[in-house]
Amino acid sequence: ELALRTANQRMEEFLGMVSHELKTPLTSIKGNTQLAIRQLKSNMQAFERIIGLYEATEQQSRRLNRLVDDLLDVSRTQAGRLELIPGPCDLREIVHEVLQEQRKMWPGRIINLEMSDDITLSLYADADRIAQVITNYLTNALKYSEADRAVAINVQCKGQQVYLAVCDEGPGLPKDELERIWEQFHRVPGIEVRSSSHVSQAGLGLGLYISKTIIEGQQGEVGVQSTLGIGSTFWFCLPLCSANKAEPI
Ligand code: ADP
């Protein structure tokens, strides 16, 4: 009975948080659209302001989309239906694509890349899902650290594995949180968003859980090293495969 009560209480807290997180972008979308209509009616020359309003609206819809995607993914993992579509892919390309997109989202932030160009990084994996994990690590690193702090991606091969790590100089995590952060809906008390792009603000505590499910579903491992007050390094490793044989080694 106690377990049931605790589960109900967690669900209630979660629903409260979800409604709040979904409502914030919705309110902004509604407000921007109403303002744009009013501007259009009153002054046909106000194009620049209207473009600004629609750009903000688009960013909020993207944010809403990400929240809904996370919720869908988590309900799929619970039903054992998170689909992974593996194929031959190159981690180097995936990293470059994610980086290009994130640099656009976070202009002014320093995101360093340490990845040797003379090794092949062939994987037999679901490229879109791997991109989702890197994006999640990277947006967490960016949003939980101050805007003047650099973030780095480090990629290296170790034997038949490739390791990717995202390092930040954010708040760091207490030891007893290092396991719990991978649980669904878990957010560390006291850790606040310190800088935000319009798309990546507070989340639902689902990104790391989904990332772990994706990586472990492809024979990989995830982990974190963190020191309170210094920063965190979130990493994953995946098996490499030979470039001309689309099979894991
Ligand atoms: P969220 O969408 O809330 O960021 P995640 O599952 O991605 O969900 O992360 C879970 C929690 O772990 C976050 O709410 C935050 O408290 C903590 N966390 C994740 N990444 C970092 C980081 N790089 N630095 C400090 N805390 C982090």
Side-chain angles (χ1 to χ4, degrees), residues 18 49 52 60 63 66 72 83 97 99 110 118 124 128 151 185 188 190 202 213 218 227 231-232 235:
V18 171
R49 290 190 61 193
Q60 292 299 332
R63 183 170 172 232
R66 193 182 61 80
L72 281 176
E83 206 185 351
E97 271 166 33
L99 201 54
I110 298 171
D118 52 346
Y124 190 76
D128 289 343
V151 163
F185 315 133
V188 181
T213 311
Q218 305 187 85
T227 312
S232 308
W235 59 267

Side-chain angles (χ1 to χ4, degrees), residues 176-208:
D176 59 349
E177 289 287 351
L178 298 182
E179 290 282 323
R180 288 213 294 252
I181 47 169
W182 303 97
E183 289 171 12
Q184 53 189 339
F185 315 133
H186 187 74
R187 302 202 299 175
V188 181
I191 293 206
E192 306 293 341
V193 172
R194 295 180 181 203
S195 54
S196 63
S197 81
H198 298 284
V199 189
S200 302
Q201 290 152 18
L204 303 173
L206 294 176
L208 290 177

Side-chain angles (χ1 to χ4, degrees), residues 15-245:
L15 287 177
M17 180 178 77
V18 171
S19 335
H20 175 76
E21 294 300 335
L22 295 177
K23 273 268 157 101
T24 311
L26 269 176
T27 308
S28 154
I29 288 170
K30 198 169 132 210
N32 287 344
T33 313
Q34 285 170 340
L35 211 60
I37 292 169
R38 222 176 301 148
Q39 294 265 326
L40 271 174
K41 281 186 181 159
S42 69
N43 179 357
M44 295 301 279
Q45 258 112 58
F47 284 126
E48 253 174 49
R49 290 190 61 193
I50 293 167
I51 289 170
L53 289 170
Y54 276 124
E55 278 170 350
T57 303
E58 199 216 348
Q59 280 160 350
Q60 292 299 332
S61 334
R62 276 203 240 172
R63 183 170 172 232
L64 208 47
N65 214 33
R66 193 182 61 80
L67 293 170
V68 174
D69 281 347
D70 276 2
L71 282 171
L72 281 176
D73 278 350
V74 90
S75 80
R76 285 186 193 124
T77 58
Q78 271 171 353
R81 282 191 291 107
L82 185 76
E83 206 185 351
L84 296 170
I85 309 167
C89 56
D90 181 358
L91 184 63
R92 189 188 316 282
E93 268 172 36
I94 303 174
V95 169
H96 280 302
E97 271 166 33
V98 171
L99 201 54
Q100 203 182 355
E101 195 179 325
Q102 291 303 312
R103 281 187 174 142
K104 255 192 264 159
M105 301 268 199
W106 301 81
R109 288 302 294 264
I110 298 171
I111 311 176
N112 295 315
L113 175 64
E114 295 150 24
M115 180 168 69
S116 154
D117 264 337
D118 52 346
I119 39 165
T120 33
L121 297 174
S122 306
L123 301 178
Y124 190 76
D126 185 327
D128 289 343
R129 291 292 188 179
I130 302 297
Q132 183 181 349
V133 175
I134 304 171
T135 304
N136 183 43
Y137 281 7
L138 203 51
T139 46
N140 279 351
L142 290 160
K143 75 183 179 183
Y144 294 119
S145 57
E146 300 289 348
D148 60 352
R149 294 281 142 191
V151 163
I153 305 180
N154 178 286
V155 185
Q156 48 183 297
C157 292
K158 288 186 190 163
Q160 310 292 0
Q161 303 265 333
V162 61
Y163 278 78
L164 183 145
V166 175
C167 317
D168 66 56
E169 297 173 19
L173 294 157
K175 274 207 172 61
D176 59 349
E177 289 287 351
L178 298 182
E179 290 282 323
R180 288 213 294 252
I181 47 169
W182 303 97
E183 289 171 12
Q184 53 189 339
F185 315 133
H186 187 74
R187 302 202 299 175
V188 181
I191 293 206
E192 306 293 341
V193 172
R194 295 180 181 203
S195 54
S196 63
S197 81
H198 298 284
V199 189
S200 302
Q201 290 152 18
L204 303 173
L206 294 176
L208 290 177
Y209 170 76
I210 295 166
S211 299
K212 183 174 155 76
T213 311
I214 290 172
I215 296 296
E216 290 181 350
Q218 305 187 85
Q219 289 75 52
E221 251 183 82
V222 296
V224 58
Q225 279 125 28
S226 190
T227 312
L228 212 50
I230 304 281
S232 308
T233 296
F234 282 82
W235 59 267
F236 68 77
C237 67
L238 282 167
L240 283 164
C241 72
S242 65
N244 46 7
K245 223 176 110 232

